[in-house]
Amino acid sequence: QGVPGTKNERTFIAIKPDGTARGLIGEIIHRFERKGYKLVAIKILHPTKEQAEAHYADLSSKPFFNGLVKFFSSGAIVAMVWEGKGVIKGGRSLVGATDPAQSLPGSIRGDLCVEVGRNIVHGSDGPESAQHEIKLWFKENEFAEWNSIQPVYEN
Ligand code: RTP
């Protein structure tokens, strides 16, 4: 389970506090679901400052780090693990470029936001960060085993 490069590849996606506050939970989940990815874990929670710091630890030297942590812990997030062929890259592509001024129409950020500091959704940027972030937010017993029909050719 969760092996990059297979149909069981997994990524961590979070709807940030601005996304939940703006009522965009369904809209964002809808896009991942329609693409053909499989939801294997989900929860809504209000992150602590410590959880936000741990999630964004890589960015601790950035000038915007404190503001980012404050914002990420300012309200509810929806934490999710999505599974499917190419889901790490494909998920980033559904999410769109970091700065909504650059993200293309058709992507979540391109369609739904305008500010880099309020870009409504997070997606893991590679296999290592996906594995790290999934472990950070979910325990083993929080994953569902279930069958979905995935549009993957097996030949
Ligand atoms: P994320 O981790 O949230 O999915 O975003 P990302 O990979 O596309 O971008 P990253 O470089 O990891 O930055 C994380 C988040 O920090 C905020 N940010 N603010 N004020 C700024 O210049 C600035 N730059 C980045 C964004 O909310 C970004 O998503």
Side-chain angles (χ1 to χ4, degrees):
Q1 291 287 304
V3 185
T6 73
K7 66 177 183 175
N8 298 123
E9 182 171 305
R10 288 178 171 182
T11 193
F12 176 74
I13 300 292
I15 305 172
K16 299 183 184 184
D18 51 341
T20 59
R22 288 177 54 198
L24 296 173
I25 298 170
E27 168 77 37
I28 292 167
I29 290 176
H30 192 203
R31 291 171 181 232
F32 278 83
E33 198 176 30
R34 276 187 302 174
K35 171 74 176 169
Y37 298 136
K38 178 181 173 185
L39 184 60
V40 293
I42 182 168
K43 59 186 167 188
I44 186 163
L45 72 152
H46 188 143
T48 62
K49 185 167 169 276
E50 290 68 30
Q51 281 176 308
E53 282 168 351
H55 176 74
Y56 281 121
D58 282 0
L59 301 176
S60 60
S61 61
K62 301 279 185 193
F64 56 82
F65 181 70
N66 287 344
L68 180 60
V69 164
K70 193 171 171 198
F71 168 63
F72 200 75
S73 55
S74 70
I77 69 159
V78 175
M80 299 177 279
V81 180
W82 286 88
E83 184 177 280
K85 186 177 181 181
V87 71
I88 299 173
K89 263 202 169 164
R92 291 284 287 187
S93 157
L94 288 184
V95 166
T98 305
D99 182 353
Q102 310 294 330
S103 37
L104 296 175
S107 68
I108 293 168
R109 288 169 175 164
D111 287 346
L112 301 170
C113 59
V114 293
E115 278 281 347
V116 68
R118 296 292 183 272
N119 59 5
I120 67 176
V121 62
H122 161 82
S124 303
D125 64 9
E128 292 80 24
S129 63
Q131 201 187 19
H132 175 73
E133 291 167 2
I134 290 168
K135 271 220 160 113
L136 199 59
W137 292 101
F138 287 97
K139 300 190 192 97
E140 278 304 322
N141 65 2
E142 291 179 301
F143 292 84
E145 292 255 2
W146 63 291
N147 291 319
S148 68
I149 299 163
Q150 290 194 58
V152 173
Y153 293 104
E154 298 196 314
N155 50 17

